Amino acid sequence: MSQTMTVRRRERRIGAAPGGAGCAGLLVALAAVAGCSGTGAAAEGDPRAAVRQAADVLAEAGTSRARTAMEMASGGTRITLSGRGGFDYAAGTGELRVSLPEGRRVTEVFVPGRLFMKNRGAGVPADKWVRVDVTGLPDGNLVTGGATDPIAAAELLRGARSVTDLGDIRMDGETLRHYRGVTDIAAAASAAAGESRKQLAAAVGGFARTEVPFDVYLDDQGRLRKVRHDFTFADGAGRGVDVTSTVVLYDFGVPVEVVLPGAGDVFAGAVG
């Protein structure tokens, strides 16, 4: 099956607009509104190795479609955001359309080290994009954009420490291997490379604890099919907020096109 991902630019140069921590606090803002290779031998012999290599196996797999879900309990209210899109794991690029509880959809384009958001709100015109340096965000954009992108979700597993092999499970008509364990953000940052290392290093101080419980499901080729992370971060009042982030990957090898915004499409004003 062909594994192609096309990344187009409307203009050759991507304009730089003010980013910063205030630009991607999508999930946090919603909280305020609410009141607040292969699983075979590796699986049998070393569950931790099978989980840790998930990011490398994805890079070899090429592309896939993705679904994301993020839930947060705040002030007795549960907020849920969902996303759909496609990613190229070798290039480190992708796109998600994240649906907010009130029905608005935010388009998010991921490239190494950067996030572009359209229909962001907070004073940004609906037809304009906001550019964010993810390494400048307190959590490395693991949760504040309203979705953990699949690349970051896989890279986070590089820091897996205790891992239990729970055996095979049938999911969506396929047999997958189920692992449960705890990963450490700081350890994952040390094991990652390039922009992923910077992103995870930025996230080390953004959570109430760096240890993140997870459940992960791999197929018989060792590809990540589903992963759930349970994060805890501190809100503005210093209280712990629990966030559950789930990523599901499917249709490996499907062609996906990611369009980067041109310089004239990037918002240059202040973001609320």
Side-chain angles (χ1 to χ4, degrees):
M1 184 179 294
S2 173
Q3 295 184 349
T4 59
M5 166 70 81
T6 303
V7 179
R8 290 197 291 116
R9 298 176 185 266
R10 290 195 179 94
E11 298 184 9
R12 187 174 183 82
R13 179 176 175 273
I14 299 176
C23 293
L26 190 59
L27 193 62
V28 176
L30 286 172
V33 172
C36 51
S37 218
T39 60
E44 295 294 341
D46 191 344
R48 188 170 63 172
V51 170
R52 284 182 168 183
Q53 71 183 10
D56 294 329
V57 176
L58 276 185
E60 296 174 0
T63 66
S64 82
R65 290 195 172 98
R67 296 196 307 269
T68 66
M70 188 167 283
E71 295 184 352
M72 177 174 62
S74 178
T77 301
R78 182 168 294 277
I79 300 168
T80 303
L81 297 87
S82 60
R84 288 182 178 269
F87 280 78
D88 181 335
Y89 306 106
T93 59
E95 178 177 301
L96 286 175
R97 292 191 176 184
V98 179
S99 299
L100 307 187
E102 72 273 22
R104 180 162 52 95
R105 289 190 176 183
V106 178
T107 302
E108 301 185 356
V109 171
F110 302 81
V111 296
R114 289 170 294 168
L115 169 68
F116 294 88
M117 306 177 73
K118 187 177 182 181
N119 200 24
R120 166 66 179 84
V124 180
D127 63 339
K128 293 292 184 180
W129 294 81
V130 174
R131 179 191 182 212
V132 181
D133 177 0
V134 298
T135 63
L137 298 174
D139 76 322
N141 194 43
L142 289 179
V143 300
T144 56
T148 304
D149 77 86
I151 298 171
E155 290 286 345
L156 186 55
L157 294 173
R158 292 189 188 275
R161 291 183 171 173
S162 60
V163 180
T164 301
D165 183 349
L166 299 179
D168 291 341
I169 185 173
R170 294 289 292 178
M171 183 179 297
D172 296 329
E174 297 184 80
T175 300
L176 305 179
R177 198 77 172 197
H178 181 195
Y179 300 92
R180 177 172 295 159
V182 175
T183 189
D184 183 83
I185 301 173
S190 296
E195 294 298 331
S196 292
R197 177 190 288 264
K198 297 177 184 178
Q199 181 178 2
L200 292 173
V204 171
F207 293 88
R209 64 171 186 262
T210 62
E211 292 186 338
V212 181
F214 67 83
D215 280 86
V216 64
Y217 303 82
L218 306 179
D219 65 16
D220 60 2
Q221 298 181 51
R223 297 178 303 190
L224 179 64
R225 304 303 299 271
K226 180 179 179 180
V227 60
R228 164 178 165 153
H229 289 106
D230 294 317
F231 299 99
T232 300
F233 72 93
D235 63 11
R239 296 168 299 191
V241 179
D242 295 327
V243 178
T244 298
S245 177
T246 303
V247 172
V248 176
L249 306 181
Y250 59 103
D251 286 353
F252 282 89
V254 66
V256 182
E257 184 178 41
V258 176
V259 181
L260 301 182
D265 298 322
V266 179
F267 184 63
V271 179

